[in-house]
Amino acid sequence: MNIAVVILNWNGVKLLEQFLPSVVSYSNEATIYVIDNASTDNSIQFLHDNYPQIKIVKLDKNYGYAGGYNRGLQQIDADVYALVNSDLEVTKDWLKPVTAEFNTHQETAIIQPKILDYKDKKMFEYAGAAGGFIDMFGYPYCDGRILFDVEEDKGQYDVNKNIFWASGACFFIRASVFKDLQGFDESFFAHQEEIDLCWRALYQEHQIKYIYNSTVYHLGGASLDNQNPFKTYLNFRNNLVMLLKNLPGSLVFPIIFTRLLLDGLAGVIFVFQGKPKHTWAIVKAHFGFYKRIPSAIKKRPKKPIDKYYQRFSIFFK
């Protein structure tokens, strides 16, 4: 199996210095690529000087996570893409359980390893943990993380299993499936595009797996900190677009209407927390969603079904 480990970079030379050594050391069975989103720092020179074996794909501007990978992967020939954040430390033999799953189960299209916190390696990491799901209102959560409550890894999720979405922090996908799904939705720019892609993959009867005995450590927030209102904007806007694109038809109006109300409540909470910029980010996210309604409707599957849709709220539960 031809595996391409692909790192998307934008002005991340310090992250490359810190995290590339583990990727290079433990990925002998793969070809390593860096897709560069038109960095203005010395990322490219650093790679040339220190890692001449790494192949570089240069883009003409910053296309974000979705567009950057879509354009870069068009220039990479492989059976499986391993999309790896630049702030990710991998471990010895991290690729072996993943390749074994792909080789023995043709229905498996997407895989996520166990993602632990680089800053506290006994804890799960927020972005993915032990595999992702969404609740009835479209809020993402994980085994090992619900809302902001993150668990310690005590082996409680040490079993391979089907999941709803795999984290973009470390995202394995068959190249044929990625191309068939036409890649990530570039209108997302960044955040939750991997959940949207996984939802579309499920509609085509592909399976998404969490493989527990492949372990990585994620720093998190290196590209866009949680305190940045732009991150709030992207998460709220993209989540609504994803729901409109993928929800079963009978649920579109009641769920999205309820979400708009809940988003308003979140905005009020931000005000009381002294974060008015995040409240304004939610307002802008709603207008950004309204602007994208026509294009999102055109992208809906022909026969959306509720087979993969969950009927409970993580808030109420």
Side-chain angles (χ1 to χ4, degrees), residues 192-203:
Q192 302 197 30
E193 64 282 289
E194 77 270 42
I195 306 178
D196 171 73
L197 181 70
C198 288
W199 203 339
R200 291 186 278 126
L202 289 171
Y203 272 133

Side-chain angles (χ1 to χ4, degrees), residues 173-236:
I173 184 168
R174 293 187 190 272
S176 58
V177 174
F178 188 84
K179 293 171 183 175
D180 185 53
L181 294 171
Q182 298 181 343
F184 296 113
D185 185 336
E186 294 188 24
S187 71
F188 282 46
F189 186 76
H191 293 293
Q192 302 197 30
E193 64 282 289
E194 77 270 42
I195 306 178
D196 171 73
L197 181 70
C198 288
W199 203 339
R200 291 186 278 126
L202 289 171
Y203 272 133
Q204 294 195 12
E205 302 295 328
H206 296 299
Q207 290 191 9
I208 304 165
K209 294 285 185 67
Y210 162 73
I211 303 299
Y212 81 91
N213 52 347
S214 173
T215 302
V216 299
Y217 299 99
H218 185 219
L219 177 62
S223 298
L224 202 57
D225 186 81
N226 285 330
Q227 300 305 312
N228 192 320
F230 185 52
K231 188 167 190 171
T232 300
Y233 167 79
L234 289 173
N235 275 321
F236 278 80

Side-chain angles (χ1 to χ4, degrees), residues 61 88-89 215 221 232 248 274 281:
K61 68 176 184 179
L88 195 86
E89 179 182 87
T215 302
T232 300

Side-chain angles (χ1 to χ4, degrees), residues 19-32:
F19 291 98
L20 262 183
S22 71
V23 177
V24 172
S25 296
Y26 300 133
S27 305
N28 292 327
E29 58 267 64
T31 304
I32 303 174

Side-chain angles (χ1 to χ4, degrees), residues 5-299:
V5 173
V6 189
I7 299 168
L8 187 68
N9 175 69
W10 179 68
N11 290 341
V13 65
K14 291 183 178 180
L15 295 174
L16 296 175
E17 291 173 356
Q18 182 176 358
F19 291 98
L20 262 183
S22 71
V23 177
V24 172
S25 296
Y26 300 133
S27 305
N28 292 327
E29 58 267 64
T31 304
I32 303 174
Y33 295 81
V34 170
I35 300 172
D36 188 75
N37 258 332
S39 293
T40 55
D41 65 2
N42 64 330
S43 295
I44 300 298
Q45 190 60 50
F46 167 79
L47 292 170
H48 283 312
D49 292 344
N50 296 278
Y51 297 99
Q53 73 272 35
I54 292 179
K55 299 185 178 182
I56 303 171
V57 178
K58 297 180 183 179
L59 303 181
D60 61 331
K61 68 176 184 179
N62 182 10
Y63 290 98
Y65 183 97
Y69 270 124
N70 282 358
R71 285 165 172 75
L73 293 178
Q74 290 176 2
Q75 304 179 48
I76 297 173
D77 183 27
D79 299 312
V80 170
Y81 299 136
L83 311 186
V84 175
N85 273 16
S86 57
D87 59 347
L88 195 86
E89 179 182 87
V90 305
T91 59
K92 185 178 179 180
D93 296 331
W94 70 296
L95 292 175
K96 289 183 179 179
V98 173
T99 55
E101 173 67 25
F102 277 130
N103 280 324
T104 56
H105 296 90
Q106 291 302 311
E107 70 277 9
T108 299
I110 299 171
I111 291 175
Q112 179 200 300
K114 179 188 288 186
I115 302 179
L116 299 178
D117 191 339
Y118 178 78
K119 300 181 293 294
D120 186 353
K121 293 187 175 181
K122 67 180 182 296
M123 304 295 293
F124 283 104
E125 210 279 319
Y126 180 92
F133 304 89
I134 62 169
D135 78 346
M136 66 182 296
F137 295 118
Y139 292 113
Y141 69 96
C142 309
D143 279 348
R145 188 272 294 174
I146 296 180
L147 300 179
F148 295 101
D149 184 15
V150 181
E151 298 177 33
E152 181 179 349
D153 176 23
K154 298 180 179 179
Q156 66 271 43
Y157 301 113
D158 281 0
V159 60
N160 295 342
K161 63 180 184 289
N162 289 326
I163 56 177
F164 187 94
W165 58 269
S167 171
C170 190
F171 186 96
F172 292 86
I173 184 168
R174 293 187 190 272
S176 58
V177 174
F178 188 84
K179 293 171 183 175
D180 185 53
L181 294 171
Q182 298 181 343
F184 296 113
D185 185 336
E186 294 188 24
S187 71
F188 282 46
F189 186 76
H191 293 293
Q192 302 197 30
E193 64 282 289
E194 77 270 42
I195 306 178
D196 171 73
L197 181 70
C198 288
W199 203 339
R200 291 186 278 126
L202 289 171
Y203 272 133
Q204 294 195 12
E205 302 295 328
H206 296 299
Q207 290 191 9
I208 304 165
K209 294 285 185 67
Y210 162 73
I211 303 299
Y212 81 91
N213 52 347
S214 173
T215 302
V216 299
Y217 299 99
H218 185 219
L219 177 62
S223 298
L224 202 57
D225 186 81
N226 285 330
Q227 300 305 312
N228 192 320
F230 185 52
K231 188 167 190 171
T232 300
Y233 167 79
L234 289 173
N235 275 321
F236 278 80
R237 184 199 70 184
N238 292 349
N239 192 266
L240 289 167
V241 172
M242 178 182 68
L243 290 174
L244 179 56
K245 284 181 60 180
N246 298 294
L247 277 173
S250 62
L251 297 173
V252 170
F253 178 78
I255 294 300
I256 290 182
F257 179 75
T258 304
R259 267 299 307 275
L260 293 173
L261 296 177
L262 291 172
D263 287 0
L265 178 61
V268 173
I269 292 173
F270 277 133
V271 170
F272 281 105
Q273 290 178 340
K275 300 177 180 178
K277 290 183 179 179
H278 291 268
T279 301
W280 180 238
I282 293 175
V283 174
K284 292 194 293 184
H286 281 196
F287 280 102
F289 165 63
Y290 301 147
K291 182 179 179 181
R292 286 164 174 77
I293 286 177
S295 61
I297 290 175
K298 292 179 181 178
K299 296 174 184 177

